[in-house]
Amino acid sequence: MPRLDDVARAAGVSKATASRALSGASGVAASTRERVQRTADELGFRVSGAARRLATGMTRTIGVLTPSVNRWYFGSVLHGIAHAADAHDHDVLLYDLGAFGRGGHEKFERFMTRGEVDGLVTITWSLVGGDLTRLADLGIPVATVGEPTQHTRSFALDDDAAGEQAAEHLVRLGHTDLLHLAAEPEVQPFEASSSDRRKRAFERVSARHGLRIRPVQTVPTTLEGAHAVVREIIDRADRPTGIVAGTDEVAMAALLAAHQLGIRVPEELSVIGVDDVPAAAAFGLTTIRQDPAQHGEDVVAWIMAALDDPDDEPDRSHTAYAPVLVVRSSTAPPS
Amino acid sequence: MPRLDDVARAAGVSKATASRALSGASGVAASTRERVQRTADELGFRVSGAARRLATGMTRTIGVLTPSVNRWYFGSVLHGIAHAADAHDHDVLLYDLGAFGRGGHEKFERFMTRGEVDGLVTITWSLVGGDLTRLADLGIPVATVGEPTQHTRSFALDDDAAGEQAAEHLVRLGHTDLLHLAAEPEVQPFEASSSDRRKRAFERVSARHGLRIRPVQTVPTTLEGAHAVVREIIDRADRPTGIVAGTDEVAMAALLAAHQLGIRVPEELSVIGVDDVPAAAAFGLTTIRQDPAQHGEDVVAWIMAALDDPDDEPDRSHTAYAPVLVVRSSTAPPS
DNA sequence: CCAATCATCGGAACCGGTTCCGACCATAGC
DNA sequence: GCTATGGTCGGAACCGGTTCCGATGATTGG
C-alpha cells in the first residue's frame, strides 16, 4: 500500500505539496496538482483515514444513536441519513441503543467521550434524563430527529397538526363518537413525546367539536404488540364509530382485529392512522403521511453546514414538518 | 483533553509504561498498573481512537454492507450485528448500498480500499458481479449473511429445507393444488438467490407428490409491491386451494387481498409464508420461522474469532440454520 | 559472594498524513 | 533597473498513541 511519501517522491515533489495537491488545498500550481494526482492514481494511492484523522482531528464520520433499527420510522430516518452522509463523503457509525442491553448507559458514557464522530444525530427516545443536555455540550454538532427538543437542533413531524388533522378528518365525515389509541413507546421518553402530543391534539379536537368523551386508550406502538389489546377494545357493544390511532401500526392492528371480529371497515368502523408506512396502501388505510427519510437527509445537511460554519451561536431551533392527509378506504361517514 | 503523556507524567512513569498499563499489556507491575489506571481516571483520560488506529492498524470497527435498512430481515441482522459488536467493544460502520444511488459501484470501490474496518459483513444482495470475490481478497475477514456463498464465510437460513417444509405442511393437510409465489428481490443477486432456492424446493415437493402443476408466479418481495399482483392472481375462478409464499410479506399481501375479495382464509384458501415477521402473529399467518438477529450475532462472533486467530486457512464454510414451522390460523385442510 | 535470569521500565522510532512558516522565483509596478 | 508582491513549494513540527530494544535492579542458583 503506497504512502503519501511514495507518491511525492514519484511525482518529484515534497510530501507537503503532495498532500496539498491531493486534498484540493490551494497554493498548488495546476500542472503540479495534475501530475501528483496522476501518479497517485497510477500507484493506487489511498489516503490513510487513520492518519488523516489524527492530523486533522476530523473523522469524516457522523454517529447515529437510535433506539432501534428495524422499525419503519427509525429505519427510514437512518436510510435518509446514510444517503445524505454518503453524498457528503462521510461515513455513518451506528449505535443501536436497543442493542446495548442493560449497560446502555455506561456504553453511552464511554461513547460520548470518545471523539469518533464529527457530528451526532439522535433519533427519538434515544436518550433519557440529562444525557441529551450533556450531549449538546460535546463540542460537536448534535441534532435530534423525531421530537422537538430544547437542548439540540431538532427535526420532526408537526405532531400537533398531525393529531388534529386525523381527528378533524373523521369529524368532517360526520363522526361524533371517536376513540383515540395512543401508541406508547417501549421506553419512556425524556420530554413530552410525540405520542403525548398527538393525544392532546385529539383531545383538543374532541373539546372543540363537543364529541363524546372516551378516555384515551394507551397501547403498544407495534402492530404485534397492539393487536390483542386493540381487539379487545373494539370487541364491545358500545364501540365508537371511528378510531384515531397514534400510529399506522396501531391502526393496522385495529383493521386486522376488526376483520377478525367481522366488523366491516369503513361501514361499521372508520380507522385513521399516522405515518403512511409502505403497508398502509395495501391495507387501504387512511392516514397522515410523514417522510422520515427526508428528515434524515435534512439533519445531515444541517450537520454539514454546522461543520463548515465558523462556530457561531449554537443553533437549537426546531423544524416541524407539515403532515399531509392521505385518504384511502378505511374511513367513511358513520352509518 | 488529557493525553497519554499527561497521564504518564502525573503517574511518574514513561509514556511507554503508561500505554502498557492502560492497554492491559503484560510486563507492568501490578502496583504500577493500578497507579496509572487511577491517575488516568482522575484526569479523565480517553485514548485517542485515531492515534491508536494509526499506531496499531486496527480500527475496532466492523463494516456492514446492506442493500437496505428498513426491511425486517436486514434490520434484524443489523440489530444482531450491532449487539454482538458492542459486546466485543467494536463499532459498526454502516454502508446502506441502497442509499448509494447510481454511483453505488464506485462508492463501493472507494470504500473497499479505504481500510476503515477490521472486518466486513455483507448482507444478501449487497454485491453483484465479481465484487464479492474481490472483497474476499481484502485481507480482512469477510462474511455474508443471507445466502450461502463460495467466496466468503456465510450464514443463512436453510432455504431448501424452508421451502420444502412450507409446501409439505400444506400437502400433509391434504392440499394437491398449490401455487408458489416467489418473492423477487429488487436487485438481482449474484448467485442463486434464496428466492430461487425456495422456489425449486417447492417444485421438488410438487413433483414428489404429483401435485397439479401451476407455473410459479414471481412477485415483488414487499407487501406493498406484491399486493396488487397477488390480488389479481387470486381473483380467478380456478384459484388454488393453497398458496406457498416465498416471504411473509408476500403471504400477508395474499391474506389482505383474500380478505378484500371476500375469500375466506383458511376455509377457501390456505396461505403459508417464510420468515415469521413480528406482524405474522397478528395476521394469524402460518409460517416458517427464522431468526436473522441470531445470524447477525453469529457472523460477528466469527469475525472476532478470525481476528484473533493467527491467519490460517481462510474459512469459507457455510452454516445453514434449520427452519422451524409455526402453525397458526392461515392454513387448514382444503374443503 | 558472584553471575545468570527475569521482571520492569524508559528511550526512541514509527504509524501516515496535515499545516505553519520561511525560502525562492517570477512578474508587476514605479 | 530595482523593489514590492504574490504564487509555489520544502522543511519540519505535530497529531497521540504503540512497540521494539536495551538498560536497570532485584532475585535466584551455584
Side-chain angles (χ1 to χ4, degrees):
Chain A
M1 187 96 341
R3 302 192 315 276
L4 182 62
D5 250 343
D6 305 325
V7 176
R9 207 185 336 276
V13 298
S14 74
K15 221 170 55 156
T17 300
S19 174
R20 274 170 278 206
L22 263 15
S23 72
S26 65
V28 183
S31 61
T32 306
R33 162 160 306 157
E34 197 206 346
R35 179 159 40 94
V36 173
Q37 186 64 262
R38 192 146 27 85
T39 66
D41 290 345
E42 286 168 8
L43 269 54
F45 169 78
R46 312 264 106 180
V47 286
S48 153
R52 164 182 294 190
R53 281 180 191 222
L54 180 56
T56 64
M58 302 268 79
T59 63
R60 301 190 80 71
T61 296
I62 83 172
V64 181
L65 288 173
T66 177
S68 165
V69 81
N70 51 13
R71 310 247 46 126
W72 174 77
Y73 182 81
F74 305 118
S76 299
V77 172
L78 191 50
H79 180 76
I81 290 174
H83 187 167
D86 179 63
H88 285 87
D89 201 39
H90 277 233
D91 287 332
V92 3
L93 213 39
L94 178 68
Y95 293 89
D96 185 347
L97 291 181
F100 283 171
R102 308 184 308 87
H105 208 71
E106 301 144 32
K107 301 283 185 179
F108 170 72
E109 194 67 37
R110 228 192 38 210
F111 151 73
M112 262 188 50
T113 53
R114 228 163 8 137
E116 301 282 29
V117 298
D118 289 346
L120 187 64
V121 11
T122 80
I123 310 184
T124 306
W125 304 331
S126 295
L127 288 331
V128 290
D131 287 344
L132 244 191
T133 318
R134 304 225 307 293
L135 257 193
D137 295 332
L138 217 52
I140 62 176
V142 176
T144 302
V145 12
E147 294 188 8
T149 202
Q150 316 286 349
H151 315 287
T152 67
R153 174 84 232 260
S154 56
F155 301 77
L157 170 69
D158 184 340
D159 288 303
D160 298 282
E164 297 215 10
Q165 276 193 32
E168 288 283 2
H169 171 64
L170 291 184
V171 168
R172 274 199 304 276
L173 286 174
H175 291 268
T176 56
D177 183 8
L178 299 177
L179 171 65
H180 183 61
L181 262 29
E184 170 160 285
E186 314 81 47
V187 57
Q188 285 308 318
F190 180 25
E191 311 189 353
S193 69
S194 54
S195 168
D196 285 339
R197 243 191 267 327
R198 291 175 195 175
K199 167 183 142 193
R200 279 201 281 272
F202 174 84
E203 291 170 337
R204 279 198 301 278
V205 174
S206 290
R208 184 184 310 150
H209 294 286
L211 305 186
R212 164 166 177 183
I213 302 295
R214 286 177 180 269
V216 167
Q217 300 277 338
T218 298
V219 304
T221 359
T222 64
L223 201 170
E224 62 273 19
H227 181 252
V229 12
V230 171
R231 176 172 173 150
E232 198 213 342
I233 291 174
I234 290 181
D235 192 16
R236 296 195 194 129
D238 78 326
R239 153 175 28 96
T241 64
I243 286 186
V244 176
T247 280
D248 274 3
E249 296 233 15
V250 172
M252 295 187 297
L255 256 23
L256 243 26
H259 171 222
Q260 287 155 3
L261 294 170
I263 300 169
R264 284 171 306 142
V265 173
E267 294 81 358
E268 301 176 76
L269 180 69
S270 282
V271 177
I272 186 170
V274 175
D275 274 349
D276 197 26
V277 301
F283 272 83
L285 178 64
T286 295
T287 189
I288 306 291
R289 174 180 298 165
Q290 68 168 325
D291 182 4
Q294 184 62 51
H295 306 184
E297 303 249 5
D298 292 350
V299 72
V300 170
W302 177 79
I303 287 185
M304 292 302 155
L307 247 28
D308 288 342
D309 272 0
D311 213 356
D312 44 5
E313 279 297 286
D315 176 4
R316 307 200 162 162
S317 62
H318 174 71
T319 82
Y321 294 92
V324 356
L325 174 67
V326 179
V327 178
R328 286 194 269 250
S329 55
S330 69
T331 52
S335 49
Chain B
M1 188 94 344
R3 302 194 313 278
L4 183 62
D5 249 343
D6 305 325
V7 177
R9 206 184 337 274
V13 298
S14 73
K15 221 169 57 156
T17 302
S19 173
R20 273 168 261 180
L22 295 177
S23 70
S26 64
V28 183
S31 61
T32 306
R33 163 160 305 158
E34 196 205 345
R35 179 158 39 94
V36 173
Q37 187 64 260
R38 192 146 26 85
T39 67
D41 289 347
E42 285 168 7
L43 268 53
F45 169 78
R46 312 264 105 179
V47 287
S48 153
R52 164 183 293 192
R53 279 180 192 220
L54 181 56
T56 64
M58 302 268 81
T59 63
R60 300 189 79 71
T61 297
I62 84 172
V64 180
L65 287 172
T66 177
S68 165
V69 80
N70 52 12
R71 309 246 47 125
W72 175 77
Y73 182 80
F74 305 119
S76 300
V77 172
L78 190 51
H79 181 76
I81 290 175
H83 187 165
D86 179 63
H88 287 88
D89 200 39
H90 276 234
D91 287 332
V92 3
L93 213 38
L94 178 67
Y95 293 89
D96 184 347
L97 290 180
F100 284 170
R102 307 185 307 89
H105 208 70
E106 301 143 32
K107 302 283 184 180
F108 169 73
E109 195 67 36
R110 228 191 40 209
F111 150 72
M112 262 189 51
T113 53
R114 227 159 13 132
E116 301 282 29
V117 298
D118 289 346
L120 187 65
V121 12
T122 80
I123 310 185
T124 307
W125 304 331
S126 295
L127 288 331
V128 290
D131 287 344
L132 244 190
T133 318
R134 303 227 305 294
L135 257 193
D137 295 331
L138 217 51
I140 62 176
V142 175
T144 302
V145 13
E147 295 189 7
T149 202
Q150 315 287 350
H151 314 288
T152 67
R153 174 83 233 257
S154 56
F155 301 78
L157 171 69
D158 184 340
D159 288 302
D160 298 282
E164 297 214 11
Q165 276 193 31
E168 288 284 3
H169 171 65
L170 291 185
V171 168
R172 272 198 306 276
L173 286 174
H175 291 268
T176 56
D177 183 9
L178 299 177
L179 172 65
H180 183 62
L181 262 27
E184 170 160 284
E186 314 81 47
V187 55
Q188 285 308 318
F190 180 25
E191 311 189 353
S193 68
S194 54
S195 168
D196 285 340
R197 242 192 273 320
R198 291 174 195 177
K199 168 184 142 192
R200 279 201 281 272
F202 175 83
E203 290 170 338
R204 279 198 303 278
V205 174
S206 291
R208 184 184 310 150
H209 294 286
L211 304 186
R212 164 166 176 183
I213 302 296
R214 287 178 180 267
V216 167
Q217 300 277 339
T218 298
V219 304
T221 359
T222 65
L223 202 171
E224 62 274 19
H227 181 252
V229 11
V230 171
R231 175 171 174 150
E232 200 213 339
I233 291 174
I234 291 181
D235 191 16
R236 295 198 194 128
D238 78 326
R239 141 170 45 89
T241 63
I243 286 186
V244 177
T247 281
D248 274 2
E249 297 233 16
V250 172
M252 294 188 297
L255 256 23
L256 244 24
H259 171 222
Q260 287 156 2
L261 294 170
I263 301 169
R264 284 171 306 143
V265 173
E267 294 82 357
E268 302 176 75
L269 180 69
S270 281
V271 177
I272 186 170
V274 175
D275 273 350
D276 197 25
V277 300
F283 271 83
L285 178 64
T286 295
T287 189
I288 306 292
R289 175 180 296 166
Q290 68 168 325
D291 182 4
Q294 184 63 50
H295 306 184
E297 303 249 6
D298 291 350
V299 73
V300 170
W302 177 79
I303 288 186
M304 292 303 155
L307 247 27
D308 288 343
D309 271 0
D311 213 357
D312 44 5
E313 280 296 286
D315 176 4
R316 308 200 160 162
S317 62
H318 174 72
T319 82
Y321 294 92
V324 357
L325 173 67
V326 178
V327 179
R328 285 194 269 252
S329 55
S330 69
T331 52
S335 50

